[in-house]
Amino acid sequence: MKMTKPPPTGKPRVRVVEGSCWPCKKRRIKCDLAKPVCMRCGLVGATCDYNARLIRWSTRPAVTVPPIYQVTSRDEQLAASLAVYEKRALDYFHGRFWPLLTTATEPCTPPILVALEHRVVLLATCVLADAHRWLQDGRNSRSILNVKRLECLAALRVEVDGCCSKGKGPLQTLLFAVLLLYFHDGFLECAEASASTSSHRDGVLAIVNRLGGISAALDTGQDPLHLLLSEFASADLATAMLKGRPPSFPPTIWDGVDKGPVWWGQDSLGRHSLSAVFREMSSMAFYVDSISTMQDEFSIARIRQFEAALQPIYAPIAVEDLDSPCSEVTEVSEPDLEATHAYALIRTFQHAALIYLYRAVCGLAVHHPLVQQHTQSCLDCIFGIKRPSKVINCIVLPLCIAGAHAQDPRQQKGVKNMTTTIYDEIRFASVHAVSTALDGIWKADSTNMTWSEMFMDLNPQAIIL
């Protein structure tokens, strides 16, 4: 038989009276509802509170502040107006692409603020970032990239009309946008039919001339512009050497280029710099042009001067390297890796410049001992750079010059592997252009090729640096 529980005989206990004060509610006791102070609160000295909502005051800072009381910087205000894909592109440009343009461990500030202030620079930055991301991981659609590029070019034409026709608009802003598009087409889109690296190059030169020359453009005081112009001048010099034309800027500019942020690493003590090598390479390119146009005569004395200026240098010994009882050094300081890499980079370009001297200026054959000596030394220097190192990403020009003159199959295999390594790291289509050109040179009979014939099939839209 099922037992049932008898119903409760007494009334249910009421622990909280409706309308009780908050101290009585908290302790779940019966309140007499006396006002202004109930009996219990009066006995214990509690603060009797009959408000509908409990108000608590705290001295702790609030976790979130209402937007109306927030003080935002100008950069944050500009960034708040961006679309989601624009913010993503700027973050990618800042974190991934910008460090690839320099060998420095801590590169200068990217032109993000300029992009936030000027729409045309923002569009150029987004186009560059999205194109590199497409090469990096295949994200985004090629058709979408083309649409964004056309939008950027349309905005650029509007800025050009304002600067040229009406005399309005800052030329530095226009220079930023054209430089970014120049690197976009030369580094990333050189294999596409829409690439117009040469047109952007002419645009940069025209703007620089309007600013008063390359020296005036470098003296603007903007670090990202200085770095981009150093990259542009180096790329223009490399193209001039490979294609057999004079550079766009005189050799004297390189002393001024080295006074600000540049893409190459620098010796912390200021003993040597890659700009000195570029100055000699530019002088040789002008000398070759003057000889071909019969404005100057071939001179052995001039060749000796170039040889003396391009003698490969090595990092000097430091006190910490000495293992002598006479040394009073108690602690061995960490090696200056950036300076060591800077010397390796300088030495690599010096050997490449000497190959150019003997081949393009002197007209020596590919198999000449002097040419092969510096070819081997250049490749040994490249292969000897310790990894990981950002210097590897910036030796495409020496690798192209030395690789084109490599006669040993083992050397050619090493060059091929190095181009693959560099491409996997930076994902620049221009590296593929170098690899394709080297394959063509190795398959052909390069023994009797002149300097200009050797690089004739190199993609003219590619930036080799």
Side-chain angles (χ1 to χ4, degrees):
M1 182 177 176
K2 186 177 181 180
M3 301 294 294
T4 59
K5 186 177 181 179
T9 57
K11 294 182 180 180
R13 182 181 178 183
V14 179
R15 297 186 62 86
V16 178
V17 179
E18 184 178 358
S20 299
C21 66
W22 282 104
C24 292
K25 284 182 180 179
K26 183 177 180 180
R27 288 164 177 79
R28 297 183 65 81
I29 60 177
K30 187 175 180 180
C31 181
D32 63 357
L33 304 180
K35 296 182 180 180
V37 180
C38 70
M39 184 178 64
R40 183 197 171 277
C41 290
L43 291 176
V44 301
T47 302
C48 193
D49 184 6
Y50 284 99
N51 291 320
R53 293 185 178 182
L54 178 62
I55 301 177
R56 296 179 179 178
W57 299 96
S58 176
T59 57
R60 297 180 180 180
V63 178
T64 59
V65 181
I68 190 174
Y69 299 114
Q70 293 180 0
V71 179
T72 58
S73 64
R74 184 165 176 266
D75 298 356
E76 295 173 341
Q77 295 175 0
L78 293 173
S81 62
L82 298 178
V84 175
Y85 75 91
E86 292 173 340
K87 293 180 180 179
R88 183 174 62 247
L90 286 181
D91 290 340
Y92 185 87
F93 179 85
H94 185 186
R96 171 59 177 158
F97 184 82
W98 184 254
L100 297 178
L101 296 180
T102 174
T103 64
T105 306
E106 297 180 0
C108 68
T109 305
I112 300 298
L113 182 58
V114 182
L116 294 175
E117 293 178 340
H118 303 281
R119 180 68 179 172
V120 64
V121 181
L122 174 64
L123 293 175
T125 306
C126 292
V127 167
L128 186 62
D130 290 340
H132 187 265
R133 191 164 188 169
W134 185 83
L135 292 172
Q136 180 73 38
D137 51 25
R139 295 187 182 182
N140 297 325
S141 170
R142 171 59 63 178
S143 59
I144 295 178
L145 293 178
N146 292 334
V147 171
K148 292 181 179 179
R149 182 174 182 271
L150 292 176
E151 180 185 1
C152 179
L153 291 176
L156 184 61
R157 293 189 187 97
V158 174
E159 291 291 332
V160 171
D161 292 339
C163 291
C164 298
S165 302
K166 304 176 185 178
K168 298 180 180 179
L171 286 174
Q172 294 179 13
T173 301
L174 191 61
L175 182 57
F176 266 116
V178 181
L179 279 170
L180 293 175
L181 289 177
Y182 169 78
F183 294 123
H184 167 267
D185 285 12
F187 282 142
L188 309 179
E189 298 289 310
C190 56
E192 301 296 326
S194 59
S196 54
T197 310
S198 57
S199 299
H200 295 316
R201 169 186 166 271
D202 295 339
V204 171
L205 294 177
I207 298 172
V208 168
N209 290 334
R210 286 284 299 270
L211 288 172
I214 184 66
S215 299
L218 291 170
D219 293 338
T220 57
Q222 299 191 48
D223 288 350
L225 183 60
H226 198 287
L227 187 144
L228 290 175
L229 285 174
S230 73
E231 190 102 13
F232 174 80
S234 305
D236 178 79
L237 174 59
T239 304
M241 292 172 57
L242 296 176
K243 298 300 180 180
R245 63 168 177 82
S248 302
F249 306 114
T252 54
I253 69 158
W254 291 104
D255 293 333
V257 170
D258 211 22
K259 294 180 179 179
V262 290
W263 63 265
W264 57 84
Q266 295 177 315
D267 179 13
S268 58
L269 299 180
R271 291 164 292 190
H272 298 281
S273 175
L274 190 59
S275 61
V277 183
F278 285 145
R279 182 177 61 247
E280 298 302 323
M281 294 167 70
S282 179
S283 299
M284 287 191 295
F286 278 106
Y287 184 56
V288 171
D289 182 69
S290 64
I291 292 176
S292 61
T293 57
M294 292 195 237
Q295 298 178 5
D296 204 344
E297 294 182 355
F298 181 82
S299 171
I300 291 294
R302 190 73 183 276
I303 301 301
R304 298 296 185 217
Q305 292 176 358
F306 287 133
E307 284 182 324
L310 293 171
Q311 285 299 316
I313 61 171
Y314 294 83
I317 191 170
V319 178
E320 294 82 358
D321 298 327
L322 297 175
D323 187 13
S324 171
C326 299
S327 177
E328 298 180 357
V329 179
T330 58
E331 294 183 1
V332 179
S333 61
E334 295 183 0
D336 188 354
L337 293 179
E338 188 168 353
T340 303
H341 292 161
Y343 276 99
L345 186 66
I346 293 172
R347 199 161 54 251
T348 302
F349 272 84
Q350 285 174 328
H351 287 297
L354 287 170
I355 297 174
Y356 175 76
L357 172 65
Y358 296 134
R359 290 279 288 130
V361 182
C362 300
L364 301 182
V366 174
H367 55 78
H368 193 279
L370 283 175
V371 176
Q372 289 303 310
Q373 172 188 345
H374 290 286
T375 297
Q376 182 64 52
S377 299
C378 184
L379 294 178
D380 289 343
C381 187
I382 293 174
F383 299 151
I385 297 176
K386 295 183 179 180
R387 305 174 198 172
S389 173
K390 296 178 68 176
V391 174
I392 294 292
N393 305 335
C394 300
I395 47 88
V396 180
L397 176 62
L399 185 65
C400 178
I401 293 176
H405 294 85
Q407 301 294 300
D408 190 344
R410 291 175 297 180
Q411 292 178 334
Q412 297 174 359
K413 183 179 180 181
V415 172
K416 188 71 175 179
N417 293 336
M418 182 59 69
T419 55
T420 303
T421 300
I422 296 175
Y423 179 79
D424 291 340
E425 176 64 25
I426 65 177
R427 294 288 176 171
F428 284 5
S430 57
V431 179
H432 266 328
V434 171
S435 180
T436 302
L438 291 178
D439 287 337
I441 294 172
W442 294 335
K443 292 179 182 179
D445 184 12
S446 61
T447 306
N448 298 321
M449 283 186 180
T450 63
W451 174 271
S452 57
E453 293 173 347
M454 181 168 284
F455 300 103
M456 186 179 300
D457 295 332
L458 186 62
N459 188 342
Q461 303 298 334
I463 296 177
I464 312 301
L465 188 59

